[in-house]
Amino acid sequence: MEQLPNNPYGLELHPMQEALYAELHSRPFQVIPSPSRLTFLAVLCEGVSREEEFEHFQKIYEHFGHEAPEQDGVCYEVDFGTVRVRREKHLEFITYTFVNLDVESCADPFDCSGISRIPAEWLRALPGTVVVSFHVAIEDARSQPEPALPVVKSFFEGMRLVGSSPQNGDARVWTTFQLHSDGFGRFLIYNKKMSDSQLGRLTQRVMEIETYRLMALLGLPLARKYNPELSEMDRKLADTTSTLAENTDLDERILLGKLTDMAAWVEACRAQTTFRFSATRAYQDLVLKRLAELREDEVSGHLTITEFMTRRLTPAVRTCESVSERLENLSRRIDRVSDMMRTRVELSIQAQNQDLLASMDRRSRIQLMMQHTVEGLSVAAISYYMVGLLKYLIEALYDNGVDLNKSLTVGISVPVVIMVVWLATRKIHKKFLKLATEKADRDEADRKDKH
């Protein structure tokens, strides 16, 4: 095994040791001052190559006059002065966090945003499909009081607020979990007692909660799409099972064809939904963990973020789980009905085989009787020709002076010839029967040896 250069003791190190250590530090928390403005985007890159997406990311460096990285990585965070850009790669999406520190000219929290200084043409050309998009306004409430609730509500265009005091009251978070007139969601964070590092961790948790919430909900349209079709498929399977249970006249081939079509439909649904529903459960677990890390205190008269999430997100996730379980259950039921049908078909085939064997046995007996009849006729025919030949022999002897009674000699030879022919025929028949019996015994022995 190759020794790494930073191994002064000459130990045999695993080639992935450094990568395993670096994995825990691949996505460090941001250090965010207050006040500041952030914009967060989560982009699905289906149908877009990673090379194309990374080339587009490199162009933001060129815009700010910085040298772009040559190799792609899990997380890039670059400081362009008053603008920071952070890009993270996840399993099925890529996130961008834009931080704008030049907020002195912003009269209201959402008058400017994290993408105010990002080129519009760069944003329009962003590869992929944006699933999550929201602004985060961070205000410093350490030296000045928070505005009154009606003022805060005006920042969210009059929508119903969800708020809490996370980190044991060291901050105040307001949101609506809705899209506003600019097509973005909004979060407003007032920093009361937190350092820049603590504020960065809080902001990161809030952004992850919103991201994983929306990613978890991607499975809900699939669940709503297939739920009515599953009900119809349940009804069809119930009718098929009832028909089979009543043992009415039915065409097994047609019924097996229907069951095969049902099984194919279920497998197609599972192929389209398994990953999405599994991802939904995984994202929900991440949301619940991030919510627990917030350590929220309630703001009088408002739902906390945790209360809102558990009330709205949990039913959606359970709907996806219910549809997934129904698909699995339907698949198992179709398999059981198919097994019953195959058993029914096998029993029917066995009954047909028994009838066929009985018919073959009757034919064999008839053929044996016919064979015995033919053998009797064959003995008579052969004896007739043999007596004819003997008659020629007797006449030749008589003409050459042998004193015998031709008629009596021929008459006596008839039963003798018949007996000789019959004995020869029986001997040949027994020889063939013995050969057939020996062959059957050898075949039976071979089968036993194989087992």
Side-chain angles (χ1 to χ4, degrees):
M1 187 176 294
E2 182 181 358
Q3 293 185 356
L4 300 178
N6 56 346
N7 181 18
Y9 299 102
L11 300 175
E12 186 175 343
L13 302 179
H14 194 282
M16 292 185 61
Q17 186 191 50
E18 290 189 4
L20 295 174
Y21 270 93
E23 178 62 29
L24 293 178
H25 306 279
S26 59
R27 294 187 177 92
F29 286 106
Q30 301 183 72
V31 178
I32 301 177
S34 51
S36 59
R37 302 291 182 267
L38 289 77
T39 297
F40 182 89
L41 301 176
V43 185
L44 282 176
C45 294
E46 296 177 352
V48 179
S49 66
R50 293 294 175 134
E51 291 77 12
E52 179 183 353
E53 189 278 330
F54 182 62
E55 289 176 2
H56 183 75
F57 174 64
Q58 290 174 315
K59 294 178 182 178
I60 199 71
Y61 284 81
E62 299 174 2
H63 173 77
F64 288 100
H66 284 61
E67 183 178 355
E70 296 181 356
Q71 294 184 348
D72 198 359
V74 175
C75 178
Y76 275 107
E77 186 173 356
V78 58
D79 189 343
F80 297 123
T82 57
V83 176
R84 298 178 187 173
V85 179
R86 179 184 174 104
R87 169 183 172 270
E88 298 180 44
K89 291 170 59 178
H90 298 265
L91 180 62
E92 60 173 333
F93 61 91
I94 293 177
T95 62
Y96 295 90
T97 305
F98 306 95
V99 182
N100 183 7
L101 303 179
D102 185 12
V103 297
E104 294 180 358
S105 60
C106 299
D108 291 334
F110 298 103
D111 284 348
C112 57
S113 67
I115 55 175
S116 297
R117 297 184 58 191
I118 301 299
E121 58 274 11
W122 186 88
L123 289 171
R124 284 193 294 267
L126 193 65
T129 305
V130 177
V131 181
V132 184
S133 58
F134 57 86
H135 301 303
V136 181
I138 299 177
E139 297 287 5
D140 194 342
R142 290 174 291 186
S143 58
Q144 57 185 4
E146 299 177 47
L149 188 59
V151 177
V152 174
K153 196 170 185 178
S154 67
F155 299 150
F156 293 88
E157 301 175 349
M159 297 181 182
R160 178 173 293 183
L161 294 175
V162 176
S164 68
S165 296
Q167 307 303 317
N168 301 319
D170 289 346
R172 181 69 57 84
V173 178
W174 295 104
T175 186
T176 61
F177 291 109
Q178 298 187 59
L179 294 177
H180 294 74
S181 57
D182 58 353
F184 283 71
R186 293 181 181 180
F187 285 85
L188 178 56
I189 300 176
Y190 288 102
N191 180 15
K192 294 183 176 182
K193 300 179 182 179
M194 306 181 77
S195 65
D196 293 351
S197 297
Q198 292 173 322
L199 182 62
R201 293 196 292 272
L202 171 64
T203 305
Q204 185 73 22
R205 293 188 183 105
V206 169
M207 292 190 298
E208 289 177 352
I209 288 171
E210 179 69 350
T211 302
Y212 296 140
R213 172 184 79 91
L214 293 172
M215 294 300 296
L217 290 175
L218 283 178
L220 187 58
L222 281 175
R224 288 173 174 169
K225 173 185 175 183
Y226 287 112
N227 194 51
E229 299 180 22
L230 276 172
S231 299
E232 178 64 18
M233 198 62 63
D234 272 334
R235 185 192 62 79
K236 291 181 179 179
L237 183 59
D239 293 342
T240 302
T241 307
S242 177
T243 302
L244 187 60
E246 292 171 359
N247 201 24
T248 56
D249 293 335
L250 51 87
D251 190 331
E252 287 86 358
R253 184 179 61 182
I254 295 177
L255 191 57
L256 276 175
K258 291 181 179 179
L259 289 172
T260 302
D261 292 340
M262 290 182 191
W265 182 86
V266 170
E267 291 305 316
C269 291
R270 291 173 65 186
Q272 295 177 16
T273 60
T274 298
F275 172 78
R276 189 74 271 153
F277 289 161
S278 298
T280 293
R281 288 189 291 269
Y283 288 133
Q284 185 204 25
D285 291 341
L286 290 172
V287 169
L288 296 178
K289 290 179 181 177
R290 298 300 184 270
L291 288 172
E293 293 170 357
L294 286 181
R295 302 197 303 274
E296 293 180 285
D297 291 333
E298 183 179 352
V299 178
S300 179
H302 293 83
L303 287 173
T304 64
I305 296 176
T306 301
E307 290 172 336
F308 182 87
M309 283 289 179
T310 53
R311 181 172 177 267
R312 301 292 180 89
L313 180 62
T314 302
V317 174
R318 288 185 177 170
T319 299
C320 297
E321 291 177 346
S322 174
V323 173
S324 178
E325 290 173 0
R326 288 186 67 186
L327 278 170
E328 295 294 332
N329 183 47
L330 185 61
S331 178
R332 290 192 294 268
R333 288 168 57 198
I334 290 174
D335 288 341
R336 288 198 295 267
V337 177
S338 298
D339 289 340
M340 287 189 291
M341 277 301 306
R342 282 191 287 268
T343 302
R344 183 188 180 101
V345 171
E346 288 174 0
L347 290 175
S348 177
I349 292 174
Q350 289 178 5
Q352 293 176 3
N353 290 339
Q354 289 178 354
D355 293 341
L356 180 60
L357 290 173
S359 175
M360 292 176 63
D361 185 53
R362 287 193 299 271
R363 290 198 187 103
S364 297
R365 288 198 298 270
I366 294 172
Q367 289 177 355
L368 183 60
M369 294 171 63
M370 292 177 63
Q371 182 179 353
H372 290 322
T373 303
V374 170
E375 286 178 0
L377 295 175
S378 299
V379 170
I382 295 172
S383 300
Y384 174 78
Y385 286 111
M386 290 292 293
V387 170
L389 293 174
L390 285 174
K391 185 178 180 182
Y392 286 120
L393 179 60
I394 292 170
E395 289 180 349
L397 293 173
Y398 180 80
D399 292 340
N400 285 282
V402 178
D403 186 15
L404 51 81
N405 188 339
K406 292 191 295 181
S407 299
L408 180 60
T409 304
V410 171
I412 294 173
S413 68
V414 170
V416 176
V417 169
I418 292 175
M419 180 60 67
V420 172
V421 171
W422 182 80
L423 290 173
T425 303
R426 291 295 298 170
K427 186 176 181 179
I428 295 172
H429 177 76
K430 288 181 179 179
K431 183 178 181 179
F432 286 147
L433 183 61
K434 182 179 179 181
L435 291 175
T437 303
E438 291 176 352
K439 184 178 185 303
D441 292 340
R442 286 197 301 270
D443 293 341
E444 182 66 23
D446 292 340
R447 282 195 296 269
K448 289 182 179 180
D449 292 339
K450 289 180 180 179
H451 291 299

